[in-house]
Amino acid sequence: MSDAHYETQGNTALIRLDNPPVNGLGHAVRRGIVNGIRRAEQDDSVRAVVIAGANGSFSGGADISEFGTPKMLAEPTLPTVINIIETSRKPVIAAIDGNCMGGGLELALGCHFRISTRGASVALPEVKLGLLPGAGGTQRLPRVVGVEHALNLIVSGTTVPATMFEGSALFDAYSDGELEADAVALAGQIVAEGRPLKRVRDLRVSHPKAEPFFLYARNGIRQMAGAYPAPLKCLEAVRAAVDQPFDEGLQTERRLFAELMQTPESAALRHAFFAERKTSKIPDVPADTPVREIRHVGVIGAGTMGSGIAINFLNAGIPVTILDMKQESLDRGVAHIRSVYEGRVKKGKMKQDEAEQKLALLHTATDYDAYRDVDLVIEAVFEDMGVKQQVFETLDATCKPGAILASNTSTLDLNRIAACTGRPQDVVGMHFFSPANVMKLLEVVRGDATAKDVLATVMKIARTIRKTAVVSGVCDGFIGNRMVLPYQREALIMLEEGASPEQIDRAIEDFGFVMGPLRMADLAGGDIGWAIRKRQYAEHPEMKRLVIADRLCEMGRFGQKTGAGFYRYEQGRRDALHDPEVDRVIDDCRRELGITPRRISDREIVERCVYALVNEGARILDEGIAQRASDIDMVYLTGYGFPVYRGGPMHYADQVGLMNVERAMEQFRANPHVQPGFWEPAPLLAGLAAEGKTFN
């Protein structure tokens, strides 16, 4: 059971926080600290108290398992704990090792003295959840490290080494040996010398040029913060530390914290925080499922995707053999990989010897015999079923028993690919997003026969290469690409109806997307979407033809790669420039379709595009393709540029209200130009709306 354990060492009491994995300050721990302080106060043989963390870490702050539960607000709250420590008649020393973050740092600041190992890290990361430190952090930190350092740390949420503040009032001593022993020794020294208790709240805080400094800082923070309200509230709280007496500043901090808790931006960021942690939980795959050892990885295809995939494993120190049938393709792939590492060295993000160590793990091959001993092989070849089936037949005949055979397919039926092998249980989808060495998302596609230990292994290796892995079932496009098709389809239909490419992309980008749907199509390559559409037209004759997009592709306008798509692109630049030729194509297509263009509002553009994601997402949930709504949100937050401060499409729909979403769909359904049947609300959406419930 998580708690704060009490023991004595001579005339010093030791309270050890023990709540794995990061000693979160849950209710039992908070109560244990208070009980320990009171016990020490009542014991005349105890002269001082040391608070330390178990397992090499002080505290990572709040216990996230208690978020949204009554325990989170149950007394003693963290401010109460800090008050009891601060008013203790006996000196309380924080012994800091490992992570000291958020509420953990606020707890340490409430102690009278602090000793740290030189390898410890400190942070106040609440801004990343759309909040600010709510237990005195904005008032105490400026008093020990200065206003400017404190503001930078609080507004950025950055983790920094404890040694960064050597010489400041944040730490009274550093430990180069056994931390607990050194902390007990420091406690004895404090008692022997009769040192007065140092309360951080009693320290004075000022800035020689407070008015111009805060004005300058406000302008910079406003520009950096964009749609996020928390950074400016952080500045307001730190300003209160300078302008107001401590207790008034504390009240200002708590008021601002409460205001931020109610913002949709904070709700979205907190949703994303928990959603990311849920993605690794697969209901029928226990956490203790044995995993296969991955010591050597093969990647088939040395193009942009294949070389990007390889970099992930090289970064993690895992040897990679990249295979391509053409030596010149291999040479280009290796040159690309080398250029990535050279770029990191040039920017100071990596040392030259480290880059060479990574590159030394890379091997090349033009023959499948090189894969006889690999533990995992990922194919990244052309998105064609016949090509992929041929690759897997060869892998089945070549790779050792127990090797995991993974496909990077973005849309194709994984079960048909697996059926070409004699070991479908070893086949899984690992859909990386381009550029594969940068994008966080990894869609892990679970085939009908994929073994549980294969799934567990891939989820573990995803963490190793620092990806956010989301499990998907098998369907056309899986989660992300299945949803993006109706999203882009609505944009293309609105082109037919009267909107321009610039208006559509601007409206979606103003909503917060990194890139509008038509700019995104140009970046991905129009030929890719065209190939998918042609396949789907053949499979679904009733499907609406997207005439404008098809016409542009027939003209060879495939986006940035050809210098022309929905926009034109100049050599060596990625700027999407207006092209009158596109206007002519749009006008011609409207005439052929018998459409008189109408004015379309930005609101309609946003609602039709975003609610298209929501409705298809609801169908995916209905069909069991996604495990949970928050998984869909993570796909779009980490792979498709959905604005993080809106929490993902399903969370956003919850915030709007599903009844309102359904009402808007009724209006879209009456439009004669849309895909027949699409705007009929998914059964799950309709059912939740009727019951007043939400996806998440």
Side-chain angles (χ1 to χ4, degrees):
M1 178 181 171
S2 66
D3 205 341
H5 308 302
Y6 184 94
E7 64 180 71
T8 56
Q9 294 185 15
N11 65 356
T12 299
L14 177 64
I15 300 173
R16 190 179 292 113
L17 314 181
D18 186 9
N19 183 15
V22 295
N23 298 326
L25 298 172
H27 184 251
V29 173
R30 300 194 304 270
R31 187 176 55 208
I33 296 170
V34 169
N35 291 343
I37 296 292
R38 286 174 171 161
R39 183 173 173 182
E41 286 179 328
Q42 293 164 9
D43 187 342
D44 291 339
S45 68
V46 170
R47 306 291 301 280
V49 179
V50 169
I51 300 177
N55 306 312
S57 183
F58 185 69
S59 173
D63 186 339
I64 62 172
S65 68
E66 291 187 0
F67 271 45
T69 72
K71 285 185 176 180
M72 183 180 176
L73 300 175
E75 289 285 6
T77 61
L78 184 56
T80 298
V81 173
I82 292 170
N83 179 58
I84 288 170
I85 290 171
E86 208 166 41
T87 55
S88 169
R89 301 185 305 276
K90 299 177 180 182
V92 180
I93 299 95
I96 296 165
D97 193 10
N99 292 324
C100 179
M101 299 183 178
L105 181 54
E106 291 179 298
L107 176 70
L109 288 167
C111 296
H112 304 117
F113 302 92
R114 288 160 294 282
I115 180 172
S116 172
T117 62
R118 294 187 181 275
S121 299
V122 298
L124 288 173
E126 288 82 357
V127 71
K128 295 180 179 180
L129 296 181
L131 300 170
L132 53 73
T138 65
Q139 304 306 296
R140 291 187 177 91
L141 190 63
R143 286 171 159 80
V144 292
V145 302
V147 172
E148 294 188 24
H149 279 310
L151 183 62
N152 287 337
L153 204 65
I154 292 167
V155 167
S156 69
T158 305
T159 300
V160 299
T163 51
M164 177 176 171
F165 297 110
E166 192 165 0
S168 75
L170 180 55
F171 297 111
D172 299 275
Y174 286 90
S175 169
D176 294 310
E178 291 293 325
L179 175 62
E180 286 189 4
D182 288 347
V184 170
L186 176 62
Q189 188 179 352
I190 290 166
V191 171
E193 295 174 2
R195 293 191 205 175
L197 304 186
K198 294 195 305 180
R199 300 195 310 170
V200 171
R201 63 178 289 145
D202 295 334
L203 298 177
R204 295 188 63 183
V205 59
S206 62
H207 191 283
K209 297 179 179 179
E211 196 61 42
F213 167 72
F214 281 113
L215 180 62
Y216 175 79
R218 177 176 293 278
N219 290 335
I221 291 170
R222 181 184 288 113
Q223 188 173 3
M224 174 273 293
Y228 297 89
L232 283 170
K233 297 286 188 183
C234 288
L235 180 139
E236 193 176 336
V238 172
R239 178 76 192 251
V242 176
D243 293 346
Q244 299 174 357
F246 182 83
D247 286 323
E248 288 182 22
L250 211 56
Q251 289 176 5
T252 297
E253 178 193 87
R254 289 174 183 169
R255 172 179 59 79
L256 295 171
F257 180 87
E259 289 174 5
L260 286 171
M261 278 290 287
Q262 302 304 314
T263 62
E265 293 83 3
S266 179
L269 290 168
R270 284 180 276 130
H271 168 72
F273 178 82
F274 289 110
E276 186 167 12
R277 280 146 185 80
K278 289 178 186 175
T279 59
S280 62
K281 295 176 172 60
I282 307 171
D284 65 330
V285 180
D288 59 355
T289 299
V291 296
R292 304 184 190 184
E293 192 171 4
I294 305 297
R295 293 163 297 188
H296 188 180
V297 173
V299 177
I300 303 174
T304 303
M305 178 59 78
S307 56
I309 292 171
I311 291 169
N312 289 294
F313 294 96
L314 297 175
N315 286 343
I318 299 172
V320 176
T321 297
I322 191 165
L323 179 148
D324 205 293
M325 294 295 105
K326 297 179 181 177
Q327 186 62 48
E328 57 267 31
S329 298
L330 269 180
D331 293 342
R332 281 196 301 272
V334 171
H336 171 68
I337 294 170
R338 180 170 288 278
S339 72
V340 169
Y341 284 111
E342 287 173 349
R344 298 202 69 188
V345 171
K346 197 173 292 184
K347 292 175 182 175
K349 295 181 177 180
M350 180 179 282
K351 294 182 178 177
Q352 183 64 46
D353 60 344
E354 186 184 355
E356 292 302 330
Q357 288 170 10
K358 303 296 186 191
L359 288 166
L361 298 171
L362 179 64
H363 310 281
T364 61
T366 56
D367 191 289
Y368 280 91
D369 281 344
Y371 284 169
R372 292 199 177 277
D373 291 317
V374 296
D375 304 296
L376 164 67
V377 59
I378 304 166
E379 67 78 11
V381 301
F382 187 67
E383 189 75 352
D384 177 86
M385 179 61 77
V387 174
K388 291 185 185 290
Q389 287 177 327
Q390 188 175 2
V391 167
F392 273 79
E393 286 173 3
T394 307
L395 291 175
D396 187 33
T398 306
C399 295
K400 67 184 180 182
I404 296 174
L405 312 182
S407 174
N408 182 54
T409 179
S410 58
T411 58
L412 299 177
D413 187 338
L414 187 76
N415 292 325
R416 287 179 59 192
I417 294 172
C420 291
T421 74
R423 46 171 128 177
Q425 72 280 1
D426 294 335
V427 177
V428 68
M430 292 180 70
H431 177 209
F432 290 81
F433 288 72
S434 186
N437 55 303
V438 175
M439 297 294 284
K440 281 188 66 178
L441 178 62
L442 175 66
E443 267 187 326
V444 176
V445 185
R446 182 180 192 174
D448 292 346
T450 303
K452 292 182 180 180
D453 67 327
V454 167
L455 207 56
T457 302
V458 171
M459 297 301 282
K460 181 182 178 183
I461 203 72
R463 291 192 295 274
T464 302
I465 62 175
R466 299 184 176 181
K467 297 296 184 189
T468 299
V470 177
V471 175
S472 171
V474 176
C475 67
D476 194 342
F478 315 124
I479 296 172
N481 281 341
R482 173 171 162 180
M483 289 171 62
V484 87
L485 288 177
Y487 164 79
Q488 290 189 315
R489 182 178 65 221
E490 285 303 308
L492 292 168
I493 294 172
M494 284 185 281
L495 270 188
E496 295 175 0
E497 294 182 50
S500 68
E502 289 85 356
Q503 184 197 1
I504 291 170
D505 284 341
R506 185 181 63 251
I508 294 299
E509 288 163 16
D510 286 348
F511 176 78
F513 271 84
V514 173
M515 190 178 291
L518 305 179
R519 284 182 60 210
M520 184 175 74
D522 275 359
L523 177 64
D527 52 332
I528 296 173
W530 193 31
I532 294 170
R533 287 196 302 277
K534 285 190 289 187
R535 174 174 60 79
Q536 292 182 334
Y537 292 158
E539 294 172 357
H540 307 285
E542 76 287 355
M543 183 175 171
K544 178 180 171 62
R545 267 50 174 175
L546 299 173
V547 179
I548 294 172
D550 293 347
R551 183 72 50 83
L552 292 172
C553 288
E554 288 164 5
M555 297 165 63
R557 299 179 64 107
F558 298 145
Q560 289 187 17
K561 67 174 76 174
T562 59
F566 291 99
Y567 302 92
R568 64 180 180 86
Y569 301 89
E570 294 179 353
Q571 188 70 32
R573 298 180 62 182
R574 292 181 176 271
D575 308 67
L577 304 173
H578 177 79
D579 192 343
E581 181 67 11
V582 175
D583 296 340
R584 185 189 64 76
V585 170
I586 292 172
D587 288 342
D588 288 347
C589 291
R590 286 172 180 166
R591 278 194 296 271
E592 292 169 17
L593 294 167
I595 294 174
T596 300
R598 66 179 177 88
R599 183 184 175 279
I600 297 177
S601 69
D602 287 358
R603 175 178 176 175
E604 181 180 346
I605 291 169
V606 169
E607 288 187 346
R608 282 174 64 175
C609 286
V610 174
Y611 294 171
L613 292 174
V614 172
N615 204 30
E616 196 65 25
R619 291 190 175 110
I620 283 171
L621 285 170
D622 259 338
E623 296 166 20
I625 300 299
Q627 299 180 109
R628 52 186 77 88
S630 61
D631 280 6
I632 293 175
D633 288 332
M634 287 313 300
V635 166
Y636 269 80
L637 293 174
T638 58
Y640 290 85
F642 198 96
V644 178
Y645 62 86
R646 297 193 189 275
M650 312 312 280
H651 175 82
Y652 177 72
D654 287 344
Q655 296 293 93
V656 170
L658 298 190
M659 193 170 289
N660 292 322
V661 173
E662 187 182 35
R663 180 66 171 172
M665 288 182 181
E666 290 177 9
Q667 297 168 336
F668 303 153
R669 199 156 62 240
N671 185 333
H673 303 296
V674 299
Q675 171 70 31
F678 176 76
W679 286 113
E680 194 66 44
L684 177 63
L685 192 160
L688 292 173
E691 296 173 20
K693 294 181 178 179
T694 61
F695 288 120
N696 289 289

